[in-house]
Amino acid sequence: MKKLFFMLTVICINSFAQPIEFVVTTGAGGPSDYITRKVSELIEKNSNIVTLVVNKPGAGQKIGYDYVEKSEKPTLLISTSEILEFDVLNTVEMLYDLGRFDNLIFTKAGRYNSLKELTNQKEVKFGHGGEKTFSYRSMVESCKKMNCLPVPFKSGSEGLLNVASGTIDAYAVVGYGTRNFTNNEVYNIIGRITLPNNWLRLYAKNITTEQKQKIVNILKKDRKSTRLNSSHVRTSR
């Protein structure tokens, strides 16, 4: 009887345990949202940890990073080198290195081997992430050397929809998870941009040591899933 009571108590505690907020600093549907949900599913499938994916897009990811910085809840965050630009870096702990990646360039303008070849034909409206982000500023510098006009967007999905509609000529999007939300019959990958320190990492805040260890063990065991089976991700290990 005591054993049964103990088991029921454990089940109740787990059922009402505070979920870990898994924050996405961009909108739903983009590559960051996709990989966050994949990792969230992987964690829940292989442990008793409950996660809640929360999208906080806007202001070049600043809204999401500010939210994490001020949060007192158990929190997980997958971020790129963009995090270097925000104070949130001082409040979180780097938990796991998911790998390195390139940015891929998509267009509907035709078959080209490179962005330079495309810009030789005409001035190109070139979309990328929010104008306050590190990668967008790198793109602005690249456009100074070519015939292109940088256009900021709030999310990868918004940018790619604008490529599909012809509003812009090309869009650069992070390579991880790309094949899972784009249609190769619609978009043509014309190039790859390697930016400095282009890494993808999992950060944690207000999470117990036991939870951290469980999460790291799950990710180490299932490295294939965290890489999204994408050849565009270059692991840093």
Side-chain angles (χ1 to χ4, degrees), residues 25-31 33 57-58 127-130 152-162 171-173 181:
T25 58
T26 58
D33 179 71
H128 204 285
F153 286 93
K154 293 180 180 179
S155 70
S157 53
E158 181 187 2
L160 288 170
L161 284 173
N162 274 268
Y171 187 83
V173 64
F181 74 102

Side-chain angles (χ1 to χ4, degrees), residues 127-175:
H128 204 285
E131 57 189 335
K132 295 183 181 180
T133 64
F134 169 81
S135 53
Y136 178 76
R137 292 199 299 273
S138 296
M139 188 56 57
V140 170
E141 292 302 313
S142 297
C143 278
K144 289 178 181 178
K145 303 172 185 176
M146 295 178 282
N147 188 26
C148 65
L149 176 68
V151 181
F153 286 93
K154 293 180 180 179
S155 70
S157 53
E158 181 187 2
L160 288 170
L161 284 173
N162 274 268
V163 172
S165 67
T167 307
I168 60 174
D169 301 293
Y171 187 83
V173 64
V174 289

Side-chain angles (χ1 to χ4, degrees), residues 29-31 34-35 38 106 175-184 225 227-232:
Y34 178 84
I35 192 173
K38 290 289 286 186
F106 289 81
Y176 57 86
T178 301
R179 280 187 277 170
N180 299 288
F181 74 102
T182 58
N183 185 336
N184 288 335
S225 290
R227 290 179 61 195
L228 304 182
N229 301 315
S230 172
S231 61
H232 304 315

Side-chain angles (χ1 to χ4, degrees), residues 48-60:
N48 60 349
I49 297 173
V50 178
T51 61
L52 176 64
V53 177
V54 178
N55 292 83
K56 295 289 180 179

Side-chain angles (χ1 to χ4, degrees), residues 3 10 150 177 181:
K3 186 176 180 180
V10 171
F181 74 102

Side-chain angles (χ1 to χ4, degrees), residues 176-194:
Y176 57 86
T178 301
R179 280 187 277 170
N180 299 288
F181 74 102
T182 58
N183 185 336
N184 288 335
E185 295 178 359
V186 176
Y187 303 102
N188 174 29
I189 300 175
I190 64 169
R192 179 171 286 161
I193 307 169
T194 303

